[in-house]
Amino acid sequence: NKVLFCAGVRVYENCAVHQVHNKDCKVTGVDTSRGSIECNFFVNCAGFWARQVGKMSEPFVKVPLHAVEHYYLHTKPIAGLDPMTPDCSTSRLLPEDWDHFHVLLEQMLLRVPVLGSATLDQLCNGPEAFSPDCKWIVGESPEIQNYFVAAGMKTVGISAAGGVGKATADLIVNGCSPYDLHELDISRFLGLHNNRKFLRDRVREVPGMHYGLIYPFHEFETGRNIRMSPIYPKLRAAGAVFGQVMGYERPSWFDPKFNEVSDTRLDNGYHPYRIAYTKTFGQPPWFDYVKDEYSACREAIGLSDYSSFTKIDILSKGHEVVDCLQYLCSNDVDIPLGGIIHTGMQNKLGGYENDCSLVRIAENHSYMMIAPTIQQTRCKVWIQKHLPADGSVTLSDVTSMYTAICIMGPFTRNLLSELTDTDLSPRSFPFFTFKELDVGLANGIRAMNLTHTGELGYVLYIPNELALHVYTQLIEAGKKYGIRHAGYYAMRAIRVERFYAFWGQDLDTTTTPLECGRSWRVKFDKGKHFIGQEALEKQRSEGVKRMYVQLVLNDHDPEFDVWPCGNEPIYKDGQYVGLTTTTAYGFTFKKQVCLGFVKNLDSEGQAQEVTTEFVLSGNYEVDIAGVRYSAKVNLHSPNLHTQYPDKERGAYLATREEQVAR
Ligand SMILES: Cc1cc2nc3c(=O)[nH]c(=O)nc-3n(C[C@H](O)[C@H](O)[C@H](O)COP(=O)(O)OP(=O)(O)OC[C@H]3O[C@@H](n4cnc5c(N)ncnc54)[C@H](O)[C@@H]3O)c2cc1C
């Protein structure tokens, strides 16, 4: 406290904030019950009042949290038990509610029978703030610059305070944190998450999650069926079992034998949706469905709904948009009209703020950006922050305007050719390019010749009102090619086996392209300075301290063994070298596949340079729930066997352009 006092910090108690002011969406001051204060930064850490305090500005800051009751029981001292319990003397407690508490009490007496003879002192009922995904809410608000939030601390706000405070201070002082915070970042939400009815519904099940042992691929039961693509009813009728991301219902897998009418019709005729529960640490119940979908995507045609992906149009009248994107992106985005480029948007430390595809829709004027679903708010804020002050470049979030259907597989060109007059031959419509197509009787379909799994195929961005028509045409014409619906778990299985990194799963704000085998996508010599360039140049000359690898497990039995699900320790010659990121069963390898990062730690645990030779030498093991499985390490995307090989796609490697000899 002395240090703070000397630094000029003054603490005023019983001082209520009434209004937070901003100019051009940048904090300028606060009105309080003890007068007004001019300030450049404001931190909303008002506990479960933070949502209310968020409303004390214009535009208001959305802090999606809801208070829940949290109980603990004070007893008179019990012999042999440590009397250290939280202070119960605060005036902020809610009334006792024994009807609510007795359910917990019964279980508690089973677990700790000695409490049965304890003498009751007081039942404490204190409110706690929970966010809709059971994680803290930290970071700069998307609505107002220099307005920070540190709230939603649940039942662990005291233990979390030091770390959350340090992270918030880092963000204010340095503009970034040395730790990846994207999972806690306030910009992981959309407006719908702040809807009070949604919060009331969702937060009922959130505290249980805080204390529960969470299975992989966790799904919430509440707050469902909010964002749905126009083809959702068709997908549901086709047996879709849904997972939710950013409030969007996306098929995780399909159960083709599911009969919507006989299996789920309720008395009132309403068809409930099916939620993609996994609820096991072993072989998941969806294994066989995903296997068949995987096979359709690789040997016939798989159709997936990608509508949840973030889609943003970035525009200018002249060349300004190109200059702006060259500064934001580490790849050279000045590509020909109709081209598509995959690029990272790095922060000043070289880490990925965003990983996206940019499509050059029109010369000079416009690009369409496709980014991960979870980035819808976050990447928009990042780009907006770096737009020229003169307003010459604008962006428009078109996520909700387009339905995105991906068709994958060797017969996709034949299928799409049947439905359009445009020549789709590789000469006219090469890989990694864009064309606007007529499909069936519809027009204006933005077609990208690429998939996010490296399979042959197209992603069609369809104006919403045309989506049902295009979907029906694809399904009808696709029957003779064996078209099949495919969910996200099949896509994940392919991309993990193909060694494709995904932002938010393998990559985060601390991962650099040099560490994850994408140096070839960083154009140091493009003649335009970009954010993170100095950090990446330094890393290029000094060498990387971790390297992205693929590990294929040798002796894992998918039927009986516990499955990997990320964050498993990796060992090399018996020494710990890193953690896995994402994992999936590889249906071509017929083996469990883990992606992850390998470090070279010295005897003091300090990370040293990691070279290709270091990674490729030694014997690897992955520890899954205490059992170590030997593994083969890969540094480049493998060429997966298919009955229908394709030269153009086969030559494209997402991770490391050059094959590395073993
Ligand atoms: C019964 C109980 C037991 C707990 N046990 C533990 C434990 O063992 N370990 C642990 O880690 N955590 C525990 N917690 C949780 C912990 O207390 C909270 O997570 C933590 O206090 C939250 O801190 P906070 O700073 O976010 O919010 P708060 O502590 O609620 O502080 C928010 C502050 O903002 C102020 N405020 C609100 N509106 C305004 C305004 N307009 N202007 C100015 N100020 C405003 C409030 O007066 C308040 O002082 C427990 C909580 C309860 C209820």
Side-chain angles (χ1 to χ4, degrees), residues 81-138:
L81 265 189
D82 185 344
M84 288 292 290
T85 51
D87 180 12
C88 216
S89 59
T90 165
S91 58
R92 288 187 359 214
L93 291 177
L94 299 169
E96 293 180 353
D97 181 351
W98 284 95
D99 287 346
H100 198 165
F101 187 67
H102 89 272
V103 187
L104 302 172
L105 182 63
E106 276 170 11
Q107 298 301 317
M108 196 166 81
L109 292 176
L110 275 180
R111 185 73 60 90
V112 194
V114 67
L115 289 175
S117 55
T119 313
L120 179 68
D121 182 16
Q122 189 187 354
L123 176 63
C124 300
N125 177 5
E128 306 266 20
F130 277 82
S131 71
D133 60 1
C134 200
K135 292 175 185 160
W136 306 322
I137 305 178
V138 181

Side-chain angles (χ1 to χ4, degrees), residues 12 14-19 31-33 42 44-50 52-53 56 68-72 85-88 90 92-93 124-129 136 150-161 164 211:
Y12 294 93
N14 297 317
C15 172
V17 170
H18 292 152
Q19 188 74 32
D31 291 344
T32 77
S33 52
F42 175 76
N44 177 352
C45 52
F48 57 84
W49 294 276
Q52 287 308 114
V53 171
M56 295 175 181
V68 301
E69 295 178 6
H70 177 216
Y71 293 91
Y72 65 97
T85 51
D87 180 12
C88 216
T90 165
R92 288 187 359 214
L93 291 177
C124 300
N125 177 5
E128 306 266 20
W136 306 322
M153 293 298 144
K154 318 187 272 185
T155 59
V156 288
I158 299 168
S159 26
V164 170
Y211 292 104

